[in-house]
Amino acid sequence: MAVPESRIERIGILTSGGDCAGLNAALRAVVLRAAQGGVEVVGIKQGTAGLLARPVDAEVLDPAIFTGTLLRRGGTILGTTNRGNPFAYPMADGRLIDRSAELIEGYRSLNLDALIGIGGDGSLAILRRFAQAGGIDFVGIPKTIDNDIGHTEVSIGYATAVSVATDGLDHLQATAASHSRVMVLEVMGRDAGHIALNAGIAGGADVILVPEIPYTMDRVAAKIEALKSKGRNFALVVVAEAVKTESGEAVTQSQAGGAMTYGGIGYTIAEGISKATGAETRVTVLGHLQRGGMPTARDRIMASIFGVHAVELVLRGAFDRMVAWSGRSVMDVPLADAIAKCRAVDPQGPMARTARGLGICLGDA
Ligand code: F6P
């Protein structure tokens, strides 16, 4: 139930899912814009876990804390989690239980008029379900280095991740050329290849493999051989973590608590290149370096735009929406539409066409 603008006095905010650079900049934008409207912002700690804790783990965010370094700082001062879905919460004995009633009770105890959640597609879907179950007025802000949320061209954290991966290629190029090696850089992105494709183009990769475009090792090897025949003594290969082996298996790592993450396909690709071409290969798995660090200017700008717009939606009483960036403008879309379908790399889209136009091998030709 939308509270009339004049009655919005106190809103909650949480960061949920994997962290990324720019989250603190988004919190800052929300708190500063809310303060202009005389609205108090309560920061909920560790995503939804803060609402399950007793006492509830949350505190009022004083606008004064955002006047210094936080705009520039990676991570999230609120903490976050990408485990522990409250609708299927993992217990020590392996059972999954529904703790949504506790969550709603925790939310109610904070006397909030609305909630803003900063999350990726998975956490925004959970937060929407929670909002609907509790009759909570909710607005979402998209963040994820994977940049795979529907109906927005950009999510907070993506620009920094691409920049970190590009820096990785800048560093690898020099050592690759010095040692006449093929360097394989494995980047994150979950099931989407946006980081790989964009950083590969920016960092001068010779081969880019993404999950959306099927590849063969023969074609990758042929590209490396072609470079060699033209006198090139090194090559740069970027592989997205969700690329499968040629026989179709995902390469994953099991983590504590039964979670699985992608990781390690870079080694399979390097081995294939080495066997097929005789080249000396080395692998760098960039991992969580892509998530931390100082947000780029682009991420700080997007975080600021999204944070301000999210508060304005709350003040207007426009709920169940996600702020988005499209066609050089901030807008908002129904949250249900945004989370309905992940935004994958378009194999015929502008980035793939650009890569092909630069002579980069995408493994399919
Ligand atoms: O969704 C963001 C992301 O960094 C993915 O790119 C990656 O696959 C995953 O999270 C890693 O998750 P975790 O932080 O649990 O290792």
Side-chain angles (χ1 to χ4, degrees):
M1 259 283 254
V3 180
E5 176 169 339
S6 56
R7 284 184 44 215
I8 296 275
E9 289 173 356
R10 200 169 138 93
I11 60 179
I13 187 155
L14 55 79
T15 48
S16 188
D19 77 326
C20 62
L23 293 175
N24 291 322
L27 296 174
R28 170 181 180 266
V30 166
V31 171
L32 296 186
R33 177 63 186 88
Q36 277 184 25
V39 175
E40 186 173 63
V41 179
V42 176
I44 297 160
K45 305 286 183 68
Q46 307 296 333
T48 49
L51 295 177
L52 290 175
R54 296 293 181 271
V56 163
D57 196 4
E59 68 184 14
V60 172
L61 297 175
D62 182 346
I65 68 170
F66 291 103
T67 53
T69 59
L70 284 181
L71 171 66
R72 298 158 233 289
R73 205 194 287 171
T76 161
I77 55 162
L78 294 180
T80 186
T81 177
N82 58 3
R83 306 276 175 261
N85 174 356
F87 291 93
Y89 195 88
M91 303 302 284
D93 60 7
R95 278 179 311 132
L96 296 176
I97 63 161
D98 182 353
R99 297 186 65 187
S100 55
E102 287 167 73
L103 199 68
I104 293 164
E105 183 192 85
Y107 177 85
R108 296 238 166 88
S109 73
L110 292 173
N111 290 317
L112 301 171
D113 298 316
L115 177 67
I116 295 176
I118 311 177
D121 59 339
S123 39
L124 287 177
I126 292 170
L127 289 170
R128 179 165 194 262
R129 192 171 163 194
F130 158 56
Q132 290 194 320
I136 293 160
D137 288 331
F138 179 75
V139 168
I141 296 179
K143 68 85 221 170
T144 167
I145 66 165
D146 308 338
N147 205 29
D148 59 351
I149 301 176
H151 294 269
T152 183
E153 289 159 15
V154 184
S155 297
I156 297 169
Y158 171 64
T160 305
V162 171
S163 171
V164 170
T166 304
D167 279 355
L169 287 169
D170 292 347
H171 288 237
L172 290 173
Q173 191 277 330
T175 176
S178 303
H179 283 267
S180 303
R181 284 173 172 163
V182 175
M183 291 298 196
V184 177
L185 178 68
E186 180 182 312
V187 299
M188 282 185 166
R190 200 146 344 217
D191 295 303
H194 298 291
I195 298 176
L197 188 51
N198 284 265
I201 290 171
D206 301 297
V207 177
I208 304 173
L209 302 181
V210 296
E212 296 89 342
I213 302 178
Y215 72 98
T216 67
M217 276 314 302
D218 282 352
R219 290 189 177 119
V220 173
K223 174 68 183 181
I224 307 290
E225 294 288 15
L227 291 171
K228 215 194 313 178
S229 70
K230 284 185 199 142
R232 181 93 86 71
N233 76 328
F234 74 92
L236 297 177
V237 177
V238 180
V239 186
E241 62 178 358
V243 166
K244 295 193 165 74
T245 63
E246 258 192 313
S247 50
E249 288 128 31
V251 181
T252 56
Q253 309 288 326
S254 45
Q255 310 291 356
M260 295 291 261
T261 53
Y262 288 120
I265 182 64
Y267 291 96
T268 311
I269 299 297
E271 200 187 330
I273 291 173
S274 168
K275 274 197 187 133
T277 67
E280 192 179 2
T281 58
R282 290 292 187 271
V283 180
T284 303
V285 180
L286 204 48
H288 293 78
L289 289 176
Q290 294 155 99
R291 293 242 296 258
M294 226 184 224
T296 60
R298 180 73 182 154
D299 266 330
R300 296 183 208 183
I301 292 165
M302 289 318 304
S304 303
I305 291 170
F306 283 167
V308 166
H309 193 64
V311 174
E312 289 173 356
L313 286 180
V314 170
L315 295 178
R316 286 208 319 257
F319 297 112
D320 201 21
R321 301 191 71 75
M322 184 189 81
V323 300
W325 184 257
S326 181
R328 306 176 78 170
S329 187
V330 68
M331 54 191 294
D332 46 273
V333 295
L335 188 51
D337 293 354
I339 58 180
K341 195 165 175 287
C342 283
R343 202 176 63 83
V345 165
D346 178 354
Q348 307 308 328
M351 297 317 293
R353 281 208 323 272
T354 300
R356 290 191 175 101
L358 291 168
I360 298 171
C361 168
L362 299 181
D364 59 343

